[in-house]
Amino acid sequence: MYNGLYTAYLGMRARQRALDATANNIANASTAGYKSDRLVYSSVEAIEIEAQKRQPGDASATRPASTSEAGEQTRSQTTNRAADSLQARSIGVVAGGATDHSTGAIRETGRALDVAISGDAFLVVQTPRGERYTRAGAFTLDSAGQLVTQNGDLVVADGGPLTLPPGEPSIGEDGAVSVNNQTVGRLKLVRFNDPRTALLKEGSSLFVASGSERPQEATGATVIRGALEMSNVNAVSEMVAMMQNSREFDSLQRSITLLMNDLGRKVSSEIGRI
């Protein structure tokens, strides 16, 4: 009874997280540079039992037991068997988040300061919280002539923030920023071996480094001027996933209602006997 309630609860919690992620993806389906959220499911039983496995090199796994330790080991083994039995009954699913870094569709805009990236590189921007990374290349100029994002964050070039003199700006395939055919800087492009673990979402299509690896110079990436990389969300697939998760959530909710009704009847029956 209790195992059934616990399993249904974990299933509902996983579906709720899936619904939240799907709703966020749909809301950002037209956001430039947005990367969709994905959930990875795993069983509670596998997580708990895996945590109980003896670590390699544990001295207690290879050291012979003395006579005085024999009784203690017997009690410990009995406790471990009971714990494994308990964990084996705690079956359910939990969901962990991950970011899909696949490339979104490239949409031409014709704006001189709009850029998209061909390759696995990221643009670097300077925020009040430090350097951040993005694939959203919708840039503009602030009142001081500095190249900034739509949120006002400074775009970082090889030598730092970029200030453009008056004139007609242009951005080349190598990231070189020119004004009236005079190069004034080059966009800083970096890459990560595994962006799924190296970057964490911060909002507004920005990513912050997790510290698992240092950014590297992106030598193989090219800049597409006059275009933007759109969200990699497939709105149709997300809507189908939302409906499926909603049905599964409702089904699990009905299961909990039935289990609670059954539990109530059993409690009433026991009270009647007393």
Side-chain angles (χ1 to χ4, degrees), residues 253-272:
Q253 192 173 39
R254 288 193 295 270
S255 298
I256 288 182
T257 301
L258 292 174
L259 288 169
M260 291 300 296
N261 291 339
D262 190 24
L263 179 61
R265 286 193 295 270
K266 289 184 178 181
V267 171
S268 299
S269 176
E270 293 296 328
I271 292 176

Side-chain angles (χ1 to χ4, degrees), residues 222-250:
T222 58
V223 174
I224 304 173
R225 58 185 175 184
L228 292 175
E229 178 185 349
M230 303 308 295
S231 166
N232 63 356
V233 173
N234 185 320
V236 175
S237 298
E238 297 294 333
M239 289 297 296
V240 172
M242 175 172 282
M243 290 186 291
Q244 180 178 347
N245 278 295
S246 296
R247 287 195 296 266
E248 292 175 355
F249 185 91
D250 292 340

Side-chain angles (χ1 to χ4, degrees), residues 78-263:
T78 302
T79 302
N80 287 337
R81 284 196 297 271
D84 286 344
S85 176
L86 173 62
Q87 299 302 338
R89 293 197 299 269
S90 300
I91 300 174
V93 294
V94 292
T99 302
D100 178 8
H101 283 279
S102 60
T103 304
I106 304 299
R107 179 172 65 86
E108 293 187 4
T109 65
R111 290 187 67 249
L113 294 179
D114 281 350
V115 296
I117 301 174
S118 175
D120 59 354
F122 292 84
L123 296 156
V124 183
V125 298
Q126 184 67 43
T127 73
R129 304 169 302 283
E131 282 194 349
R132 297 295 186 264
Y133 309 95
T134 185
R135 298 273 295 190
F139 300 148
T140 186
L141 297 177
D142 64 9
S143 58
Q146 293 179 307
L147 193 64
V148 296
T149 66
Q150 295 293 319
N151 295 325
D153 298 321
L154 296 173
V155 179
V156 178
D158 288 339
L162 199 58
T163 301
L164 276 60
E168 186 66 26
S170 176
I171 301 177
E173 292 185 357
D174 59 351
V177 181
S178 304
V179 176
N180 297 332
N181 297 323
Q182 297 293 322
T183 302
V184 295
R186 189 181 307 275
L187 298 177
K188 185 176 181 180
L189 300 177
V190 299
R191 64 176 299 275
F192 298 87
N193 290 326
D194 188 0
R196 293 173 300 176
T197 58
L199 297 175
L200 302 174
K201 272 190 173 182
E202 193 178 70
S204 301
S205 297
L206 295 178
F207 295 90
V208 59
S210 66
S212 63
E213 63 174 282
R214 297 178 62 84
Q216 308 171 26
E217 182 181 358
T219 56
T222 58
V223 174
I224 304 173
R225 58 185 175 184
L228 292 175
E229 178 185 349
M230 303 308 295
S231 166
N232 63 356
V233 173
N234 185 320
V236 175
S237 298
E238 297 294 333
M239 289 297 296
V240 172
M242 175 172 282
M243 290 186 291
Q244 180 178 347
N245 278 295
S246 296
R247 287 195 296 266
E248 292 175 355
F249 185 91
D250 292 340
S251 178
L252 289 166
Q253 192 173 39
R254 288 193 295 270
S255 298
I256 288 182
T257 301
L258 292 174
L259 288 169
M260 291 300 296
N261 291 339
D262 190 24
L263 179 61

